[in-house]
């Protein structure tokens, strides 16, 4: 089982950080393959809580080499501050490997992200404002700046000037903002070069060699399936591919090398930012899920929108990712409800629909069809085996498994590393 992908099966914040950290002790490499510091992954180890944005969650496991792949967009200031924050807490960060092909988020990307959102007004996406979309846009437009450019001042200057020629026209003429000086950007970027140089590596070579040698490599997705730019709720998505295929392009590893794809699935649903969300709750149940589940964004501090579990989405995630397993998280949050609604299908214009509609208007009109499952009131946070769960919690898990199309191989019953029920081994 040398290469596994672990990704979000919903709209992000499913508990990927915790799941990655749990496996981190048994894997040799943990690789981020897309996204950037729009991610917020919380990892709880004993009484210590870590919030990671850019670094792979494997960084907290001493034997594991964390890798930032070519598909990630890297804000160098954030990377260095995250590294020093961990070093201050005694975490060894020296093993980090950073792809020279990863694109850099520069100050003009974050500026463009923010002004574009402001310009969109009530049609805004609700981005994290971290410059993610504009950086990927420049990558695809072939005017991006890559990590390796930091080490060649004359190339860096040419590229920054070329990018700013266009951006400044847009900022000044369209958005009525001040132009950004190339010299200032250059000075800032060059200031990061020496600190980053030691981490830069040919990560595709390292990872392919590792897989060939039988080492265990875990690819950790940011965001989630429904935020994927191709397969998510476009345009209310992020600008990268969190889905399984993204691991191949974002790390330079062929699909034949991937042996297992694990979908992290929350026992209910949350979403941050704008966009359709069929099972969203606007009542006291939604408020209770938010409160009990601590559903507040790690990156932007925004309240997460909350709703019941949506099996249509879970089935879709199984399909577009080729999931082999699910890791069901936050089951403990549902303790105390007498009956728990689960969305098993949608009703769209009076018709029952079992699969996620590709048509965005249909999805906007989708009304959830609920099945009621009996709840439980016993504390489940100490359960170590499936059999220790109350019968109705077992039934809930089994029902979700049947509806979602892949086996549930682990269950989270609390935020801590050890608050997990392992059913099938991932390794
Ligand atoms: P990520 O972005 O997918 O890594 O998820 P986040 O870290 O943004 O959000 C998940 C939150 O749920 C974090 O605060 C985790 O500590 C917490 N968490 C993860 N798994 C569980 C679980 O099984 N039960 C509970 N109660 N909390 C969990
Ligand atoms: P993790 O890895 C939840 C959402 C934003 C917005 C949309 C686009 O913690 O699960 P962007 O800044 O990426 O251009 O914003 O995507 N979003 C996330 N929502 N969890 C995340 O990451 C997210 N990263 C981006 O709220 O709706
Ligand atoms: Mg998160």
């Amino acid at each position: 089982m040398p290469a596994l992908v672990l990704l979000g099966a919903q709209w992000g914040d499913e508990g990927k950080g915790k799941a990655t950290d749990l496996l981190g002790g048994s894997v040799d490499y943990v690789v981020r393959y897309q996204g950037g510091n729009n991610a917020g992954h919380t990892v709880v180890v004993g009484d210590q809580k870590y919030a990671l944005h850019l670094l792979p969650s494997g960084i907290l496991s001493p034997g594991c080499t964390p890798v930032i792949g070519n598909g990630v967009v890297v804000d160098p200031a954030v990377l260095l501050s995250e590294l020093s924050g961990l070093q201050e807490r005694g975490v060894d960060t020296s093993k980090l490997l950073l792809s020279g092909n990863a694109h850099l988020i520069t100050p003009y990307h974050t500026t463009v992200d923010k002004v574009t959102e402001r310009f969109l007004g009530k049609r805004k996406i609700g981005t994290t404002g971290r410059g993610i979309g504009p950086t990927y846009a420049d990558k695809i437009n072939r005017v991006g700046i890559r990590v390796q450019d930091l080490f060649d001042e004359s190339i860096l200057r040419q590229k920054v000037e070329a990018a700013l020629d266009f951006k400044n026209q847009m900022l000044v003429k369209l958005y009525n903002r001040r132009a950004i000086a190339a010299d200032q950007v250059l000075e800032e970027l060059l200031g990061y070069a020496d600190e980053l140089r030691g981490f830069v590596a040919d990560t595709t070579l390292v990872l392919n060699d590792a897989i060939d040698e039988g080492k265990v490599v875990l690819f950790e997705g940011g965001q989630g399936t429904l935020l994927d730019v191709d397969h998510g709720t476009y345009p209310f998505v992020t600008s990268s591919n969190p889905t399984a295929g993204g691991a191949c392009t974002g790390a330079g590893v062929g699909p034949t090398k991937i042996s297992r794809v694990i979908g992290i699935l929350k026992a209910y649903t949350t979403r941050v930012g704008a966009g359709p969300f069929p099972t969203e709750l606007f009542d006291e149940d939604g408020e209770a899920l938010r409160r009990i589940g601590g559903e507040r964004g790690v990156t932007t501090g925004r309240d997460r929108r909350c709703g019941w579990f949506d099996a249509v989405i879970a089935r879709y995630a199984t399909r577009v990712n080729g999931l082999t397993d699910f890791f069901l998280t936050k089951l403990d949050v549902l303790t105390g409800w007498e009956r728990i609604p689960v969305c098993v299908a949608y009703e769209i214009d009076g018709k029952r629909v079992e699969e996620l509609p590709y048509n965005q208007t249909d999805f906007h009109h989708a009304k959830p069809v609920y099945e009621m499952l009996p709840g439980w009131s016993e504390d489940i946070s100490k359960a170590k085996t499936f059999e220790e769960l109350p019968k109705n919690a077992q039934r809930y898990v089994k029902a979700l498994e049947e509806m979602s199309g892949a086996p549930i191989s682990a269950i989270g019953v609390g935020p801590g590393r050890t608050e997990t029920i392992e059913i099938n081994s991932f390794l």
Side-chain angles (χ1 to χ4, degrees), residues 11-14 16 32 38-41 113 125-133 221-224 227 236-239 271-274 298-299 302 304:
W11 275 289
D13 303 324
E14 297 90 350
K16 298 176 292 293
R32 276 286 305 270
N38 49 346
H41 299 172
D113 192 358
I125 310 291
T127 72
T128 59
R130 302 300 193 259
I132 306 297
Q223 294 77 52
L227 286 172
F236 301 100
V237 291
T238 192
S239 300
R271 170 162 210 177
V272 194
V298 186
T299 300
R302 288 178 287 180
R304 294 175 182 153

Side-chain angles (χ1 to χ4, degrees), residues 135-153:
T135 305
Y136 278 113
D138 276 5
K139 172 178 174 174
I140 301 301
N141 255 338
R142 295 161 295 191
V143 291
I145 315 288
R146 297 190 293 174
V147 167
Q148 60 182 290
D149 298 329
L150 291 177
F151 311 113
D152 186 327
E153 186 172 343

Side-chain angles (χ1 to χ4, degrees), residues 169-305:
Q169 298 273 344
M170 188 175 76
L171 285 172
V172 174
K173 294 188 178 148
L174 184 62
Y175 294 118
N176 207 18
R177 302 273 302 210
R178 243 178 289 150
I180 296 172
D183 280 344
Q184 210 175 317
V185 174
L186 266 166
E187 193 187 315
E188 180 177 333
L189 291 178
L190 288 169
Y192 302 125
D194 283 342
E195 275 184 277
L196 290 180
R197 198 186 302 271
F199 296 119
V200 178
D202 183 349
T203 51
T204 71
L205 183 62
V206 171
L207 293 171
N208 279 284
D209 281 353
I211 292 172
D212 290 346
E213 284 164 23
K215 300 254 167 64
V216 185
V217 179
L218 177 67
F219 298 93
E220 177 193 17
Q223 294 77 52
T225 299
L226 274 294
L227 286 172
D228 185 284
V229 69
D230 283 274
H231 302 292
T233 46
Y234 192 90
F236 301 100
V237 291
T238 192
S239 300
S240 66
N241 291 114
T243 47
C248 297
T249 48
V253 166
T256 49
K257 301 277 171 79
I258 309 280
S259 38
R260 211 152 167 186
V261 185
I262 305 159
I264 312 303
L265 188 67
K266 213 179 270 195
Y268 50 97
T269 313
T270 63
R271 170 162 210 177
V272 194
F277 178 0
T279 63
E280 183 170 15
L281 293 166
F282 300 95
D283 57 7
E284 59 268 28
D285 281 331
E287 204 39 64
L289 286 174
R290 191 171 303 119
R291 180 171 32 83
I292 303 167
E295 298 297 351
R296 180 172 285 241
V298 186
T299 300
T300 55
R302 288 178 287 180
D303 272 354
R304 294 175 182 153
R305 300 157 65 192

Side-chain angles (χ1 to χ4, degrees), residues 312-373:
V312 183
I313 281 174
R315 274 199 293 282
Y316 179 72
T318 304
R319 177 178 10 129
V320 298
N321 293 300
L323 296 183
T324 55
D325 306 77
F326 280 114
F327 188 136
L328 187 72
T329 60
K330 303 190 98 161
L331 186 64
D332 53 301
V333 174
L334 294 178
T335 301
W337 266 275
E338 209 169 303
R339 291 181 332 144
I340 308 171
V342 168
C343 169
V344 294
Y346 299 142
E347 193 191 295
I348 302 172
D349 298 330
K351 280 202 204 83
R352 185 182 164 106
V353 174
E354 307 281 338
E355 296 297 331
L356 197 99
Y358 72 86
N359 182 297
Q360 63 179 8
T361 309
D362 285 347
F363 192 58
H364 275 269
H365 292 166
K367 291 198 186 71
V369 176
Y370 286 118
E371 210 170 83
M372 292 294 176
L373 298 178

